[in-house]
Amino acid sequence: MTHKFKFLAFLSLAVLLSTASWSREKTYDGSLPKVHIIATGGTIAGASTDIGYDAGKVSIETILQAVPGLTQYAELDYEQFCNIGSQDMNEQIWLPLAKRVNQVLACGHYDAVLITHGTDTMEETAFFLNLTVHNPKPVILVGAMRPSDAVDADGPSNLLKAVQTAVKPDAVGKEVMCCLGGRIYEAGAAFKNDTHSLDPVSETSVDWYLPHNAATGFFIEDLQELPEVGIVYGYGSGSTTALEAFVNAGYKGVVFAGVGDGNLNRAALDLAGRAAKNGTVIVRSSRIPYGGVYTEGGEVDDERLGFIASGSLSPQKSRILLMLALTTTRDIGTIRSYFRHGVSER
Ligand code: ASP
C-alpha cells in the first residue's frame, strides 16, 4: 500500500470518527438503518463472582436492555451465537461466524453487523473476519473491560458508539472495526496492549489496508476446518522444545514470535530451517508490537532458509493469515506476497 493510500485510509477513518454530534441516519425511504447483532460473549456479557467475574454469562437480550437509547439510531435484532470468554475462541467458531456474517449481509435486509465479543482475542476475530467477509457493509466488534453488572460498566457506552458508527454511511467500505474504550479501531492495526485499562487497544502501523469486499481475502464457504498453525514464543536462553513439538505433531505451519527483529537463537534457527526444508511453513514475526519484521536489512537469510517474514503482522495475526493462506496454496512465494501486499484480486 502506498503512503498516499495509507494516508487517505487514515484520513477517511479520522473523518468518520471525528463526527462529534451523532445524527440519526435515515435510509432512502425514511426508515432507520437495520443492524443485526451477533452475540458471542466476553466481559461485555460478564457477571460478577466472589473473586471477580465470569465472562460470557449474560444474554444479549439483557445486555441490550441496559442501553434503551440504541433504538433511536437503528432497528436492531440479535442472535446469541455462543456465550464464551474469548480466550476460548477458535477456528471452529471463526468459520461458522464468518459464514453467518456473510449470510446476514448478503440477504439484503441489513445495513451492518455488530458482534459482541471478549477483548482478549477481539483483534484475532476481527482480522479473521476482515479476510473472510465479502461484503463492504460495516462489521464492528464491540466489547467491554467491566462485566455487565458493574455499576460503572463500559459495555453500554461502547455498544452505543458501535451502533452510532455502524449506521454512518461512511462506515461502508472499511476494514472490520473494533469498538473499545469509546473508540473505533480497524482490524489490521488494532491490538490489545493493556490488561486492565478501559481503553485497552492501540494501533500499530500496517503494511496493507484491506477493506473487506467481494474481491478481497479468502473464500471459506466450503471449509469445515483450518490447517494447524502454532505460535512459538522467543526468549533469552530459549528452548526448542515447543518448536520441535509443533513440527513433530505435523503442524502445517509455525509462527515464531521472535526476539527483537524476529530473531531465533542458533538452535531454533537450525531446527526451523530443517523444518522448512521438510515442508513446515515457518513465519518469522516478533514479540515486539511495533516496527514489523522484514527480510531486507535483518540478520536472518529468509530466502536461503525458506522462511517468510511477517511484515507488520503480529504473531497472532500472522497465524490467522497463514492458516487461511494454507487453505489455498503451499507455495512460499505466494504466501510471502500475501504477507507483504495483502490478499486482494487473486
Ligand atoms: N476474558 C474476557 C474475554 O476476552 C476479557 C474481556 O472480554 O475483556 O472474553
Side-chain angles (χ1 to χ4, degrees):
M1 176 177 168
T2 63
H3 286 303
K4 188 174 163 211
F5 186 42
K6 264 189 211 168
F7 177 70
L8 286 175
F10 171 77
L11 196 65
S12 65
L13 185 66
V15 168
L16 167 68
L17 304 182
S18 66
T19 315
S21 64
W22 295 100
S23 57
R24 251 166 83 119
E25 300 293 333
K26 294 264 180 66
T27 57
Y28 67 93
D29 63 357
S31 61
L32 286 175
K34 295 178 182 56
V35 175
H36 185 66
I37 301 179
I38 301 178
T40 71
T43 297
I44 193 168
S48 300
T49 63
D50 291 345
I51 60 151
Y53 71 93
D54 284 335
K57 286 287 164 203
V58 169
S59 73
I60 183 62
E61 204 161 1
T62 307
I63 295 171
L64 290 174
Q65 278 161 8
V67 211
L70 288 179
T71 50
Q72 284 178 46
Y73 298 95
E75 210 178 279
L76 300 172
D77 62 24
Y78 53 84
E79 65 184 279
Q80 190 75 52
F81 194 78
C82 57
N83 211 354
I84 59 170
S86 74
Q87 56 271 44
D88 287 321
M89 197 49 77
N90 60 37
E91 299 75 296
Q92 289 312 317
I93 302 176
W94 282 332
L95 282 170
L97 181 62
K99 291 174 192 177
R100 180 68 184 136
V101 173
N102 277 316
Q103 184 185 44
V104 168
L105 292 178
C107 83
H109 184 69
Y110 297 101
D111 298 293
V113 167
L114 289 197
I115 300 169
T116 57
H117 196 287
T119 66
D120 289 353
T121 60
M122 183 182 283
E123 72 209 53
E124 291 172 61
T125 302
F127 190 66
F128 183 85
L129 292 175
N130 201 55
L131 288 170
T132 53
V133 169
H134 301 292
N135 193 307
K137 290 179 185 174
V139 177
I140 305 182
L141 280 71
V142 54
M145 293 298 284
R146 291 185 178 138
S148 66
D149 57 357
V151 277
D152 45 3
D154 52 331
S157 57
N158 287 337
L159 252 178
L160 180 63
K161 174 78 174 195
V163 170
Q164 289 171 330
T165 304
V167 300
K168 288 277 163 198
D170 49 2
V172 176
K174 299 282 190 293
E175 290 193 338
V176 169
M177 294 177 250
C178 301
C179 181
L180 276 171
R183 296 180 208 239
I184 300 288
Y185 303 89
E186 286 185 285
F191 70 101
K192 186 173 180 179
N193 82 338
D194 194 306
T195 49
H196 294 115
S197 163
L198 289 182
D199 188 7
V201 176
S202 292
E203 287 181 327
T204 187
S205 61
V206 288
D207 291 335
W208 36 275
Y209 178 77
L210 194 71
H212 47 92
N213 61 46
T216 56
F218 299 92
F219 294 86
I220 45 86
E221 289 314 307
D222 297 330
L223 296 178
Q224 309 305 327
E225 58 184 17
L226 294 172
E228 282 184 310
V229 173
I231 298 177
V232 175
Y233 199 86
Y235 53 97
S237 79
S239 144
T240 55
T241 306
L243 179 56
E244 219 163 340
F246 281 133
V247 172
N248 290 342
Y251 275 46
K252 301 287 177 276
V254 174
V255 176
F256 205 89
V259 294
D261 189 11
N263 287 316
L264 292 72
N265 65 24
R266 180 58 49 204
L269 202 61
D270 290 347
L271 180 58
R274 281 200 303 279
K277 295 256 163 332
N278 291 329
T280 310
V281 180
I282 305 285
V283 172
R284 230 171 27 88
S285 185
S286 176
R287 63 183 194 173
I288 310 287
Y290 298 100
V293 172
Y294 301 90
T295 292
E296 304 77 22
E299 297 172 59
V300 179
D301 189 343
D302 290 321
E303 292 290 341
R304 185 179 62 79
L305 292 161
F307 297 167
I308 295 166
S310 68
S312 59
L313 293 181
S314 64
Q316 58 272 31
K317 286 183 186 167
S318 295
R319 173 177 177 265
I320 287 169
L321 177 56
L322 183 55
M323 286 191 299
L324 287 167
L326 286 169
T327 65
T328 65
T329 184
R330 296 201 60 132
D331 179 67
I332 297 297
T334 307
I335 301 175
R336 271 195 189 127
S337 82
Y338 293 161
F339 274 86
R340 203 55 203 262
H341 306 296
V343 189
S344 55
E345 291 157 28
R346 287 178 304 128

